[in-house]
Amino acid sequence: MEFLHWIEQTGLSIWIREASTAWAYPAVITLHSAGLAVLVGLSVVIALRILGVAPGLPLSALEKLYPLIWLGFGVNAVSGVGLIVADPVAMLTNPLMAIKLLLVGAAVGSLVLIRRRVLRSPVVQSDVVPPGGKTLAFASLALWIAATTVGRLTAYLGAQLPL
Amino acid sequence: MAYIEAFAGWIAGTPVSWFVNGLRWTWPVAETLHFLGMALLIGTVGLLDARMLGLFRQLPVAALQRLAPWGVLGFVINLVTGFLFFAGAPEQYIHDSIFWYKMLFIALAGVNVFVFYVSGLARRVDRLGPGEPTPVAAKVVAASSLFLWFGVLYWGRMLPFLGGAF
């Protein structure tokens, strides 16, 4: 708690929270939304394809989306730290934040598993989804939806900053 | 503006407005759906735009265009949830210039989509073979689309900060 109050007093925290150039906090939170759009959006596209939507998309080509997905994740990791630093007491004493981070971790794990077990499986060359692939896709969808939902809810149940 | 004011006044008295303001969870649920709809829209449409701009050439454009209905679904989810937000505080939104910028960008994005389909550009792009470059017109549409939709995201996010909202 002491540590969290200490973070709150640092220059970075004060800058993000109160910069008289009103753009600091809005910029960080916009980046977080944009990163989410890319990260969750593309993850959903991959899951949808595995579940049979747009069958013209070669499964083997989906791997090419991963660098952009990881970029979205990176933007959100950095902006996420920025959001936490701006209001560390509220963010880090909110149990929903821990749940969200766990869900994000699991969702990222599902992406990694999809890449290894589905997109790199030899049967994928004939555009066939290996066994367990569809289950993984459903799980990934569910995890990203859950992470986004809990992320949104942290704003309503705990944080003191504007929504 | 008088008509808009009248409309806002009327909406504020409807059951929809009560649904948003009177129940504790309507807004959080609607907002969560709004974010998910946004991710769906940007994921599908944005990917098609990126492809038209030359990224991910291994993905056939025609197949990516099959994702468009899901983008429309995302848009519809956001149209409905967006209407709920509006109904909850119409007076606040109609006097907020940031809200009108967001609506403008959505309208422009709609025009962009309309032009893409009506001009035959969508059909032309559909027939592109692997490795074939996209026509310049398609790149203009794609770049505009990305700019406009991320712009919508930006204005939406800025509502509590730049405008008079909340």
Side-chain angles (χ1 to χ4, degrees):
Chain A
M1 200 51 148
E2 282 280 310
F3 179 60
L4 301 184
H5 282 293
W6 176 82
I7 299 179
E8 239 179 12
Q9 302 308 314
T10 59
L12 180 65
S13 182
I14 295 173
W15 177 73
I16 298 180
R17 203 167 46 243
E18 300 169 14
S20 53
T21 62
W23 59 267
Y25 184 77
V28 171
I29 205 162
T30 299
L31 282 173
H32 207 69
S33 301
L36 178 164
V38 170
L39 173 59
V40 176
L42 290 180
S43 300
V44 166
V45 165
I46 289 179
L48 285 178
R49 171 58 188 90
I50 294 174
L51 293 170
V53 174
L57 284 176
L59 283 167
S60 45
L62 292 180
E63 247 202 281
K64 298 286 185 275
L65 294 176
Y66 274 69
L68 188 52
I69 292 178
W70 295 145
L71 176 66
F73 177 76
V75 165
N76 272 32
V78 172
S79 57
V81 168
L83 290 172
I84 290 177
V85 163
D87 194 8
V89 177
M91 294 281 139
L92 297 177
T93 53
N94 187 344
L96 283 181
M97 181 56 75
I99 298 175
K100 176 192 164 171
L101 293 177
L102 282 172
L103 286 170
V104 168
V108 167
S110 75
L111 279 179
V112 172
L113 278 178
I114 285 177
R115 186 180 202 176
R116 280 192 207 153
R117 302 264 184 85
V118 182
L119 305 182
R120 285 184 182 164
S121 159
V123 306
V124 134
Q125 296 307 319
S126 350
D127 254 5
V128 166
V129 176
K134 298 208 179 203
T135 311
L136 255 180
F138 265 122
S140 192
L141 259 183
L143 285 167
W144 282 120
I145 291 173
T148 307
T149 304
V150 174
R152 252 296 93 196
L153 290 180
T154 57
Y156 292 97
L157 307 172
Q160 289 149 35
L161 282 168
L163 307 174
Chain B
M1 190 61 186
Y3 290 108
I4 299 177
E5 292 264 9
F7 178 67
W10 171 76
I11 280 232
T14 61
V16 181
S17 186
W18 173 84
F19 178 61
V20 177
N21 291 318
L23 301 180
R24 195 178 172 211
W25 288 103
T26 310
W27 190 286
V29 170
E31 211 182 19
T32 301
L33 287 171
H34 206 73
F35 271 70
L36 291 171
M38 171 200 80
L40 195 52
L41 175 63
I42 287 187
T44 51
V45 170
L47 182 56
L48 173 61
D49 292 335
R51 173 61 187 87
M52 287 202 282
L53 288 170
L55 295 175
F56 313 123
R57 280 176 220 262
Q58 308 84 354
L59 299 176
V61 185
L64 289 176
Q65 293 220 62
R66 300 290 97 74
L67 287 172
W70 292 85
V72 173
L73 173 64
F75 179 73
V76 168
I77 290 173
N78 279 27
L79 199 59
V80 171
T81 48
F83 179 74
L84 286 180
F85 300 143
F86 181 80
E91 277 298 310
Q92 174 186 270
Y93 283 108
I94 62 171
H95 291 120
D96 190 345
S97 47
I98 305 302
F99 170 72
W100 291 113
Y101 289 140
K102 183 173 180 182
M103 294 303 108
L104 174 66
F105 270 56
I106 293 174
L108 290 174
V111 168
N112 197 37
V113 168
F114 182 73
V115 164
F116 182 61
Y117 284 102
V118 162
S119 67
L121 202 50
R123 252 176 295 122
R124 219 173 118 201
V125 158
D126 220 37
R127 284 187 251 114
L128 287 176
E132 237 188 292
T134 33
V136 174
K139 291 193 196 241
V140 171
V141 164
S144 306
S145 171
L146 282 173
F147 171 73
L148 289 168
W149 286 118
F150 275 101
V152 170
L153 183 158
Y154 170 75
W155 294 123
R157 217 46 197 92
M158 290 296 105
L159 276 167
F161 299 102
L162 296 181
F166 311 103

